[in-house]
Amino acid sequence: MPLWLHQRALLTPERIAYETENSRLTFHELDQSARQLACILSSKGIAEGSHIAVLQENTLNFVRTQHALMYLHAICVPLNLRLAKRELSFQLADCAAGFLIADLATYEKAQQANTNCQLLTIEQLLEEATDTLPQPVLQREISLNDPCTIIYTSGTTGRPKGVVLTYGSHWWNANASLINLGLRETDEWLCCVPLFHVSGLSLLIKNVIYGMPVFLCRHFHAADVHQQILAGKVSHISLVASMLQRVLDDAGAARFPDTFRCVLLGGGPVPPVLLKRCLERRIPVYQTYGMTETASQCVTLPPEYMQAKAGSAGKALFPLQIQIDSGTRPAEAGEPGEILVKGPTVFSHYLNREDATRDAFTDGWFRTGDIGYLDADGFLFVLDRRKDLIISGGENIYPAEVEAVLRLDTNVTGAGVIGIPDSAWGQKPIAFVTVHRSDAFDADDLIALCRSHLAHYKVPKQVILCDELPENAAHKLLRRKLYERWLQENPSNPL
Amino acid sequence: MPLWLHQRALLTPERIAYETENSRLTFHELDQSARQLACILSSKGIAEGSHIAVLQENTLNFVRTQHALMYLHAICVPLNLRLAKRELSFQLADCAAGFLIADLATYEKAQQANTNCQLLTIEQLLEEATDTLPQPVLQREISLNDPCTIIYTSGTTGRPKGVVLTYGSHWWNANASLINLGLRETDEWLCCVPLFHVSGLSLLIKNVIYGMPVFLCRHFHAADVHQQILAGKVSHISLVASMLQRVLDDAGAARFPDTFRCVLLGGGPVPPVLLKRCLERRIPVYQTYGMTETASQCVTLPPEYMQAKAGSAGKALFPLQIQIDSGTRPAEAGEPGEILVKGPTVFSHYLNREDATRDAFTDGWFRTGDIGYLDADGFLFVLDRRKDLIISGGENIYPAEVEAVLRLDTNVTGAGVIGIPDSAWGQKPIAFVTVHRSDAFDADDLIALCRSHLAHYKVPKQVILCDELPENAAHKLLRRKLYERWLQENPSNPL
């Protein structure tokens, strides 16, 4: 298959590829700058198959970097901007990145986290002259089986795993979504989700495959997003529930234009009260279920079922299949079990983690670890996120990862982290700990410890001292019991 | 990947799948009847991998048959309704079809042509009770590499070749077209091209993948087509130039509704005068270039270039690549050569024809045999159809095939067939012959001979006696010289 940006620039060179608050770029222009950057990167030693870490804000430079790497068949490892130094260092070492391409805004953080790889800044790279550089061999084709990006996701053990997504994973996701949502020549997708997440990255891919303009926001500001929607050019937007809520708060009673035809709502469960607001305002919400391993959404609920199937994540996208494993699979309708996914968008493997990869698949089905059921009409209802996953503002927090940090304090003997409801972010993490000496316990110290090791969003908002943590017979922590305990003591649940 | 109809019926069971003049069918209903038919076919002995010939008119029964065969992983061989008995017999024998499924309208023809395979009629099959039948294993998944259909195309030697199209060829064609044309929830495609051609068959495939209703016409009647367009529900139609001309003749000055957004115009070159009429009437025409071997269109010209790039077939669909081989390929812009196509829609192989398959590919590129060039902007211009191919009303006529029949007459020493312009059909075939004894020459006898061996559309409209046929030094017939000779004698070229 032809390389996507190369083909797109050949087919529709003059079409707008990207808009930002203060610029516009055609596919031809994007292609030219990506080729130029590829030349420069090649001259630095970046070659086919290299792992290249990218720590950049949501700007056109990120887009150029990703496409330049594709032109070199190098593998992009986008890093989460919110990660703490130690987390970044782990990921850089784990993927053995030869280069880290930062931008001016992230340079300091990159420098602190970086240990072994060559640090470049995109702004400087783009200023280099290319006239004197040797012309590298720019790839013009791709193979769908080749790795394209590696995105880290925190695992259940607290040790993040690099999810290897092939060109095929991305291609099939874009196509599956196309069949589901359709495409008009006037479509334009607003991207205010991070490009380092699979949700944002999937828009970067759709952009070139569909030939559809993307309005790219550097940061998420509810007022700006709302203004863009009202301006009438934006047709689609990807959001998580907490963002949508802020956009609606900002929007007041203003009516969204008819050309605005899709809010693709991912990143965890959606509060019913939010859906009700959207229904009242006739905002077309497509609830989705997906994860990095499925290259973004794999199950979607169209707006016509928002009421009839409230609480459902919908049905599989066309090339995908969902099955419930309740011990004897496939489960009966209504019978809960682990959600399995099969299809060409599913990731290839976890980097350097043969064991985890093996555990993740049964007979070609990917085991999500999430619990859910299919109703008699085939709609998926997600009951429980995998391994007590906490989702806060669309970011995943694995309790085990936070607990491991708390246990670094020598006074701490045990730790349990749960998510509690939060009106702004959906959920927020809090921690329960047991200690050797209660007189040496200081909640603020523990929070500071977490802050130094973890991305801000993962840091417990509260650390509660307790006598013992609930366990099962095998001394496995029962986080659900912790939640029940919390609920009893905080009956005025805000949601 | 899930089997397409199975998945579609799971995702959107209540959506309309087909409309005809007097019926409507949801995807659930289509699925039910296809499954039932699969049961019955299985009980007759049709199993995975069997070649099953289908000789049926453009009705829902054809659609049911194709899907039932997919449920059994049997391979459908759709036969051209216009073929003569001998042509049908050859194809049935060549693909070693175990069964021939006809309908009441085609039964007699099927009976005459059939020699070795079991003849079934779809109307009788559908009346059989299924309650007492053993439940066969209906397939629920497909592999894109598996063969799906075999469609015969006459070769340059006059001996038709079975083009083996995989599920992947069809899937990629549907997806490539989706990226190109977009999709709206209100789209509906009118199908008045034969389902036994790849053009009609591709609509049967798009229908289940897109979840888009198809309005199916048993026969092409310009007035009916025009009426359906004016009724405002139809958004797309596939036509060849001669059909479009008749629709426009019938339409008079009536304005087509805005919801009608695409005439996909295939089957050979389009007369400029016809394009001009469409431009004046603001009818959005997408000229296409494609063939059975590429599973329908592979190059398309969007309407915005109808004027600027008049005469061009357009650019490759997204997953495909076009290259011109002028001896040293790729050729320069403007330099003519053989048109090569590469990409996942390209057919797998010619059935039982290793030699022809080998000759058809160079380094993974399919050699179309057609001559053309790419201009500086990358637009394809087709100069000459492969091996003097004649295209009459969208049907391909290979001169060599007709010439071989003419030479069956013992008095005929040489024959040359060419296409001359025809206002209704684009082209029509005429023949030049040399004979032993001119007193024994009878043009009507030769036409009758052709009629008994060939589909009607292939029969020369005129047979002209001449002293000698133009040849090159290697005694190869120069059909272009024949055409020049004809043009000199008929200066009032109707087009």
Side-chain angles (χ1 to χ4, degrees):
Chain A
M1 185 182 296
L3 191 117
W4 301 329
L5 176 57
H6 172 65
Q7 178 79 341
R8 179 47 65 198
L10 198 70
L11 296 182
T12 58
E14 299 310 324
R15 254 191 225 170
I16 295 300
Y18 280 90
E19 291 193 274
T20 69
E21 216 181 338
N22 45 34
S23 67
R24 298 178 108 196
L25 200 67
T26 65
F27 282 106
H28 172 73
E29 290 162 345
L30 175 61
D31 189 48
Q32 288 302 105
S33 60
R35 281 163 183 269
Q36 205 162 3
L37 179 57
C39 265
I40 296 162
L41 294 177
S42 170
S43 76
K44 305 285 177 201
I46 292 179
E48 189 168 347
S50 338
H51 292 179
I52 310 300
V54 173
L55 187 73
Q56 293 181 30
E57 292 203 317
N58 259 29
T59 71
L60 292 175
N61 285 344
F62 188 118
V63 178
R64 291 184 181 107
T65 306
Q66 171 70 69
H67 285 298
L69 293 175
M70 289 189 190
Y71 261 121
L72 298 172
H73 279 197
I75 298 156
C76 180
V77 188
L79 300 175
N80 189 321
L81 292 177
R82 301 188 185 118
L83 294 189
K85 186 189 138 193
R86 280 165 204 251
E87 295 170 306
L88 289 173
S89 302
F90 172 82
Q91 296 183 12
L92 286 169
D94 187 64
C95 74
F99 293 84
L100 167 55
I101 311 178
D103 59 24
L104 292 177
T106 65
Y107 184 77
E108 206 180 307
K109 192 168 199 173
Q111 206 174 23
Q112 286 170 4
N114 181 32
T115 44
N116 283 314
C117 60
Q118 203 176 325
L119 180 57
L120 305 171
T121 40
I122 185 69
E123 290 88 347
Q124 281 175 9
L125 287 172
L126 289 171
E127 275 175 20
E128 293 191 19
T130 52
D131 310 350
T132 56
L133 293 179
Q135 276 298 317
V137 179
L138 297 188
Q139 305 288 341
R140 294 178 155 226
E141 296 189 7
I142 49 153
S143 158
L144 293 185
N145 295 324
D146 284 346
C148 177
T149 35
I150 299 171
I151 302 182
Y152 277 85
T153 173
S154 290
T156 53
T157 61
R159 186 178 150 203
K161 297 186 293 251
V163 177
V164 179
L165 292 168
T166 60
Y167 283 90
S169 308
H170 291 307
W171 169 269
W172 286 98
N173 176 263
N175 271 263
S177 179
L178 181 54
I179 293 171
N180 188 44
L181 298 179
L183 180 66
R184 304 176 185 203
E185 59 271 35
T186 52
D187 280 350
E188 175 159 347
W189 208 305
L190 189 145
C191 176
C192 56
V193 288
L195 290 169
F196 59 73
H197 268 188
V198 77
S199 56
L201 190 64
S202 75
L203 296 181
L204 184 153
I205 306 287
K206 286 183 176 117
N207 166 255
V208 276
I209 294 178
Y210 301 178
M212 170 191 71
V214 166
F215 190 99
L216 184 63
C217 301
R218 190 177 192 120
H219 303 287
F220 169 72
H221 292 304
D224 293 348
V225 166
H226 174 230
Q227 198 184 326
Q228 282 303 327
I229 293 173
L230 284 193
K233 280 192 68 184
V234 171
S235 59
H236 293 65
I237 188 169
S238 298
L239 291 173
V240 301
S242 58
M243 294 164 103
L244 177 57
Q245 198 158 301
R246 284 152 71 190
V247 172
L248 292 188
D249 288 347
D250 190 87
R255 186 165 145 62
F256 284 11
D258 288 339
T259 45
F260 180 72
R261 65 188 188 85
C262 170
V263 176
L264 200 66
L265 199 60
V270 183
V273 61
L274 179 60
L275 284 182
K276 194 159 161 277
R277 281 178 79 185
C278 291
L279 264 171
E280 283 164 5
R281 304 222 11 219
R282 296 201 194 159
I283 295 170
V285 173
Y286 290 75
Q287 292 171 80
T288 69
Y289 167 74
M291 59 211 76
T292 305
E293 284 91 336
T294 60
S296 184
Q297 51 162 335
C298 62
V299 174
T300 300
L301 184 72
E304 63 257 44
Y305 293 107
M306 264 168 77
Q307 267 181 304
K309 295 288 179 184
S312 168
K315 289 185 178 181
L317 295 185
F318 195 87
L320 296 167
Q321 296 176 79
I322 296 291
Q323 209 179 74
I324 303 297
D325 183 359
S326 62
T328 55
R329 71 183 165 93
E332 301 284 310
E335 191 186 352
E338 185 175 359
I339 300 167
L340 311 186
V341 184
K342 187 175 175 180
T345 71
V346 173
F347 75 120
S348 150
H349 61 282
Y350 293 118
L351 189 70
N352 311 325
R353 295 292 297 275
E354 270 183 52
D355 52 338
T357 305
R358 207 172 29 242
D359 293 349
F361 290 94
T362 303
D363 302 337
W365 290 83
F366 166 56
R367 310 192 69 90
T368 64
D370 294 340
I371 305 299
Y373 68 89
L374 295 172
D375 75 2
D377 300 323
F379 286 82
L380 176 69
F381 288 77
V382 181
L383 296 174
D384 250 323
R385 286 303 174 131
R386 50 197 169 282
K387 319 295 177 187
D388 306 308
L389 175 65
I390 301 163
I391 306 183
S392 184
E395 293 279 7
N396 290 350
I397 305 170
Y398 286 87
E401 189 180 11
V402 185
E403 290 156 8
V405 171
L406 288 166
R407 276 196 300 266
L408 292 176
D409 184 303
T410 51
N411 189 36
V412 170
T413 54
V417 171
I418 58 167
I420 59 168
D422 181 85
S423 58
W425 303 105
Q427 286 186 294
K428 64 182 178 190
I430 63 167
F432 293 82
V433 294
T434 54
V435 294
H436 287 296
R437 293 173 41 219
S438 58
D439 59 332
F441 168 78
D442 184 324
D444 290 342
D445 280 358
L446 290 175
I447 287 175
L449 174 71
C450 288
R451 235 176 241 284
S452 73
H453 282 74
L454 297 166
H456 271 218
Y457 63 86
K458 298 178 186 172
V459 174
K461 303 302 166 254
Q462 199 183 351
V463 179
I464 300 164
L465 182 65
C466 55
D467 293 335
E468 54 168 4
L469 293 169
E471 290 179 343
N472 69 7
H475 296 288
K476 202 172 167 300
L477 177 67
L478 295 172
R479 296 195 189 88
R480 212 156 312 160
K481 292 259 179 201
L482 268 185
Y483 182 68
E484 286 163 17
R485 190 190 291 179
W486 177 84
L487 215 53
Q488 276 179 351
E489 290 164 13
N490 298 271
S492 61
N493 182 340
L495 281 192
Chain B
M1 186 183 297
L3 191 118
W4 300 329
L5 176 57
H6 172 65
Q7 179 79 340
R8 179 47 64 197
L10 198 70
L11 296 182
T12 57
E14 300 309 324
R15 253 190 226 171
I16 296 300
Y18 280 90
E19 291 193 274
T20 68
E21 216 180 338
N22 44 35
S23 67
R24 298 179 107 196
L25 201 67
T26 65
F27 282 105
H28 172 72
E29 289 163 345
L30 176 61
D31 189 48
Q32 288 303 106
S33 60
R35 281 163 183 270
Q36 205 162 5
L37 180 57
C39 265
I40 296 163
L41 293 177
S42 170
S43 76
K44 304 287 178 201
I46 291 178
E48 190 169 344
S50 338
H51 292 178
I52 310 299
V54 173
L55 187 73
Q56 294 181 29
E57 293 202 315
N58 260 30
T59 71
L60 292 175
N61 285 343
F62 188 118
V63 178
R64 291 185 181 105
T65 306
Q66 171 70 67
H67 285 298
L69 292 175
M70 289 189 190
Y71 261 123
L72 298 172
H73 278 197
I75 297 154
C76 180
V77 188
L79 301 175
N80 190 319
L81 292 176
R82 302 189 185 118
L83 295 188
K85 186 188 136 191
R86 280 166 205 248
E87 295 171 307
L88 289 173
S89 303
F90 172 83
Q91 297 184 12
L92 286 170
D94 187 64
C95 74
F99 293 84
L100 168 55
I101 311 178
D103 60 22
L104 292 177
T106 65
Y107 184 76
E108 206 180 306
K109 191 167 200 174
Q111 207 175 24
Q112 285 171 5
N114 181 32
T115 44
N116 282 315
C117 62
Q118 204 174 323
L119 179 58
L120 305 171
T121 40
I122 184 69
E123 291 87 347
Q124 281 175 11
L125 287 172
L126 288 170
E127 276 175 15
E128 292 192 18
T130 52
D131 311 350
T132 57
L133 293 179
Q135 276 298 317
V137 178
L138 296 188
Q139 306 288 342
R140 295 177 154 226
E141 296 188 7
I142 50 154
S143 159
L144 293 184
N145 295 324
D146 283 347
C148 177
T149 34
I150 299 171
I151 301 181
Y152 277 85
T153 174
S154 290
T156 53
T157 61
R159 184 177 152 205
K161 298 185 293 251
V163 177
V164 179
L165 292 168
T166 61
Y167 283 90
S169 308
H170 291 307
W171 169 269
W172 286 98
N173 175 263
N175 271 264
S177 179
L178 181 53
I179 292 172
N180 188 44
L181 297 179
L183 180 67
R184 304 176 185 201
E185 57 272 31
T186 51
D187 281 349
E188 175 160 347
W189 208 305
L190 189 144
C191 175
C192 57
V193 287
L195 290 168
F196 59 74
H197 269 187
V198 78
S199 56
L201 191 64
S202 74
L203 296 181
L204 184 152
I205 306 286
K206 287 183 176 118
N207 166 256
V208 277
I209 295 178
Y210 301 178
M212 170 193 70
V214 165
F215 190 99
L216 184 63
C217 301
R218 190 178 192 118
H219 303 288
F220 169 72
H221 292 304
D224 294 348
V225 166
H226 174 230
Q227 199 184 326
Q228 282 303 328
I229 294 173
L230 284 193
K233 281 191 65 184
V234 171
S235 59
H236 293 65
I237 189 169
S238 298
L239 291 174
V240 300
S242 60
M243 294 164 104
L244 176 57
Q245 199 157 303
R246 285 152 71 190
V247 172
L248 291 188
D249 288 347
D250 190 87
R255 186 166 145 62
F256 284 12
D258 288 338
T259 45
F260 180 71
R261 65 188 188 86
C262 170
V263 176
L264 200 66
L265 200 61
V270 183
V273 60
L274 179 60
L275 284 182
K276 192 157 162 276
R277 283 178 77 184
C278 291
L279 264 172
E280 283 164 7
R281 303 217 19 213
R282 294 199 194 161
I283 296 169
V285 173
Y286 291 74
Q287 292 170 81
T288 69
Y289 167 74
M291 59 213 76
T292 305
E293 284 91 336
T294 60
S296 185
Q297 51 162 335
C298 62
V299 174
T300 301
L301 184 73
E304 63 258 45
Y305 293 106
M306 264 167 79
Q307 268 183 302
K309 295 289 178 184
S312 168
K315 290 186 178 182
L317 295 185
F318 194 86
L320 296 167
Q321 295 176 80
I322 297 290
Q323 208 179 76
I324 303 296
D325 183 358
S326 63
T328 56
R329 70 183 167 93
E332 302 285 310
E335 191 186 354
E338 184 174 359
I339 301 167
L340 312 185
V341 184
K342 187 174 175 181
T345 70
V346 172
F347 75 120
S348 151
H349 61 282
Y350 294 117
L351 189 70
N352 310 325
R353 296 290 297 275
E354 269 183 53
D355 52 340
T357 304
R358 207 171 30 241
D359 293 349
F361 290 94
T362 302
D363 302 336
W365 291 82
F366 166 56
R367 311 191 69 89
T368 64
D370 294 340
I371 304 299
Y373 68 90
L374 295 172
D375 74 2
D377 299 323
F379 287 82
L380 176 69
F381 288 76
V382 182
L383 296 174
D384 250 323
R385 287 303 175 133
R386 51 197 168 282
K387 318 296 176 189
D388 306 308
L389 176 65
I390 301 163
I391 306 182
S392 184
E395 293 279 6
N396 289 351
I397 306 169
Y398 286 87
E401 188 180 13
V402 184
E403 291 158 6
V405 171
L406 289 165
R407 276 195 299 267
L408 291 176
D409 184 303
T410 51
N411 190 36
V412 169
T413 54
V417 171
I418 59 167
I420 59 168
D422 182 83
S423 58
W425 303 106
Q427 287 186 292
K428 65 184 177 190
I430 64 167
F432 293 81
V433 294
T434 53
V435 293
H436 287 294
R437 294 172 41 218
S438 58
D439 59 330
F441 168 78
D442 184 324
D444 290 342
D445 279 358
L446 290 175
I447 288 175
L449 174 72
C450 288
R451 234 176 242 284
S452 73
H453 282 73
L454 296 166
H456 272 218
Y457 63 86
K458 298 178 186 171
V459 174
K461 303 301 167 255
Q462 199 183 350
V463 179
I464 301 164
L465 183 64
C466 55
D467 293 336
E468 54 168 4
L469 293 169
E471 291 179 342
N472 69 6
H475 296 288
K476 204 172 165 298
L477 177 67
L478 295 171
R479 296 196 189 88
R480 212 158 310 159
K481 292 260 178 201
L482 267 184
Y483 181 68
E484 286 164 14
R485 189 189 292 178
W486 176 85
L487 213 54
Q488 277 178 351
E489 290 164 14
N490 298 270
S492 61
N493 183 341
L495 281 192

